[in-house]
Amino acid sequence: MTGDDAYRRAWHLAEAGRCTEAESVLRAALATDPADANLLTMLGFVLRRQFDYVAALAACDAAIAARPGLADAHGERAESLLCLLRDRDAVAAATEAVRLAPQHPASHLVLARALASDRRFDAAVAAADRGRSLAPQSVDGLLAVADVNRVAGRRDAAERAVRAALAIDPDNAYGRWLLAMLDAERLRVGRSMRALRDVARANPARPDVVSMTWPIRGLLGALRVWFAPAIALVTAGALAGGWWPPAATLARIMAGLFAAVVAGFALRLLVPAGRLPWRCLRLAPGLLRRAVHGGVVTVCAQVALLIGYAVTGRWWLPVLALAAVAVLWVLGLAELVGARMDDPGYLRSLQEVARDLREWRADFGQWWRDSKRSLRETWNDDNSDSLPR
């Protein structure tokens, strides 16, 4: 089998979801010609599909070393770097891919995703539009435009692009998921949950249970943003009531009002969602599940404390609610980490951060030991000079 034959066969196998077989075909062909840049690039693509991002990046690096001018290799390298959360390196790799192949739509699209991940939204939208202009009927191009606009907060443009993509390919799973998440961001709860359920039914091997918990997680996320300052305001009024009684009266009214708003917002999100988010939460990663349950309990306790203060006027109740804000934020951080525990790239990034922290601690410990030894030696030398002879 020639290199071109192996490339085509691996591509078809990967598109059919048979990535392990595709990898075997590529490695067999590379055993004959280990410097074939096209095969190495395809190997990077196949490994990325199998979530082996480190090996995918190594394959792309080998392809670039064999043929530095291959735009596809730089583009695939950018994809692997994005999966490893190395956004700036991904921007550099994608920029090189665009320089080498300015008329290749995929190069502009991966650059758009890299720029969006690096939060350079205007440049990302421009790159996505450029990629789409080179292939107006490309579903991948339209979805990339939608993705970038969604991250940039331009939901109307994102929805238009998604609907255009689904008009070409109505069964596209990612497009349907993206439209469901746009509905979620606009609090179209019932429609979003129905769409996510349909996507999960169409892909039973990899159901996105984390996305389907969004009503619960969205509620907690919104409360972390505004409920904490609301509780702080009530607490300030309760404490000020010690020397100005009208402040305590106003604080009790606000406490009841805020508790009612939280209850209403929770009903607005959770009732239309039904039991599906809670069922999916049972299947979510353990850290995410525990963090969400802890967050729900914490919010319920805070609402109960505010109601108790509104009824009784005891100043220490909002103080306890304010102290629980720290718990809510710690649980939010745990939820953020837990939501991506099944992402190998994210785990790899966490491992690298942990490794850097260990190295920093070791370097600091060595510096501290050297400093103490140096100070001790200086002290001994100074004392020895001051002794009478």
Side-chain angles (χ1 to χ4, degrees):
M1 183 183 297
T2 66
D4 289 342
D5 292 337
Y7 184 95
R8 284 191 293 270
R9 177 165 172 72
W11 171 259
H12 290 306
L13 287 169
E15 286 298 292
R18 297 160 62 184
C19 289
T20 304
E21 295 176 49
E23 181 184 352
S24 299
V25 170
L26 290 168
R27 292 197 183 279
L30 284 167
T32 304
D33 186 2
D36 189 315
N38 287 320
L39 291 177
L40 288 167
T41 302
M42 177 56 70
L43 179 62
F45 169 76
V46 169
L47 291 170
R48 179 167 61 85
R49 282 282 189 94
Q50 297 179 85
F51 310 105
D52 192 351
Y53 302 136
V54 176
L57 180 60
C60 294
D61 288 339
I64 292 170
R67 188 175 160 191
L70 183 60
D72 286 346
H74 290 277
E76 185 55 43
R77 183 173 187 270
E79 297 279 13
S80 297
L81 289 166
L82 276 176
C83 293
L84 290 167
L85 307 185
R86 293 169 54 182
D87 300 332
R88 293 186 179 179
D89 292 338
V91 170
T95 300
E96 181 65 10
V98 169
R99 186 188 71 81
L100 292 169
Q103 299 304 314
H104 191 190
S107 299
H108 293 276
L109 297 178
V110 69
L111 176 60
R113 288 193 294 272
L115 289 167
S117 188
D118 201 34
R119 306 192 67 77
R120 292 155 61 179
F121 297 129
D122 290 339
V125 171
D129 288 338
R130 174 60 177 162
R132 180 188 175 184
S133 69
L134 293 171
Q137 296 302 308
S138 167
V139 172
D140 288 341
L142 288 165
L143 292 178
V145 170
D147 243 338
V148 169
N149 278 285
R150 178 190 169 219
V151 174
R154 304 173 184 180
R155 296 192 182 99
D156 290 338
E159 185 169 347
R160 285 194 298 271
V162 172
R163 292 195 181 281
L166 291 175
I168 300 170
D169 181 8
D171 295 326
N172 186 283
Y174 185 71
R176 293 164 65 194
W177 176 88
L178 195 54
L179 187 60
M181 297 314 296
L182 286 168
D183 284 336
E185 291 168 6
R186 287 171 165 160
L187 298 185
R188 299 168 181 167
V189 182
R191 188 160 76 178
S192 173
M193 294 307 297
R194 285 192 298 271
L196 288 173
R197 184 180 57 215
D198 292 342
V199 171
R201 285 174 177 170
N203 300 273
R206 291 186 59 81
D208 189 355
V209 294
V210 174
S211 292
M212 287 188 281
T213 64
W214 78 260
I216 309 170
R217 296 175 56 226
L219 172 65
L220 293 175
L223 293 179
R224 278 192 291 271
V225 172
W226 72 264
F227 197 32
I231 294 174
L233 186 61
V234 171
T235 304
L239 296 176
W243 62 87
W244 190 50
T249 302
L250 181 61
R252 292 175 68 178
I253 294 172
M254 288 192 299
L257 178 62
F258 290 145
V261 170
V262 171
F265 188 48
L267 292 174
R268 169 71 177 83
L269 284 178
L270 299 181
V271 171
R275 291 180 293 176
L276 183 59
W278 301 101
R279 289 176 176 174
C280 291
L281 190 60
R282 300 173 191 168
L283 305 175
L287 179 60
L288 171 64
R289 184 172 62 252
R290 289 189 290 272
V292 169
H293 285 152
V296 170
V297 170
T298 302
V299 168
C300 290
Q302 289 174 309
V303 170
L305 289 168
L306 289 185
I307 293 173
Y309 173 66
V311 173
T312 66
R314 295 176 181 173
W315 63 269
W316 51 270
L317 291 173
V319 172
L320 288 178
L322 185 62
V325 168
V327 177
L328 192 63
W329 276 97
V330 170
L331 291 171
L333 179 61
E335 177 193 325
L336 181 65
V337 175
R340 302 189 65 176
M341 288 299 287
D342 58 349
D343 183 345
Y346 189 73
L347 291 177
R348 176 75 179 187
S349 180
L350 287 179
Q351 290 169 357
E352 290 178 354
V353 170
R355 184 195 62 199
D356 291 342
L357 287 174
R358 286 195 299 270
E359 291 177 355
W360 177 85
R361 186 176 65 180
D363 291 342
F364 180 80
Q366 186 61 45
W367 171 83
W368 180 246
R369 288 190 294 272
D370 292 343
S371 297
K372 287 196 298 183
R373 184 170 59 252
S374 177
L375 288 170
R376 187 164 52 248
E377 291 173 353
T378 302
W379 171 263
N380 291 336
D381 290 344
D382 290 344
N383 283 345
S384 64
D385 289 343
S386 63
L387 291 174
R389 298 181 180 178

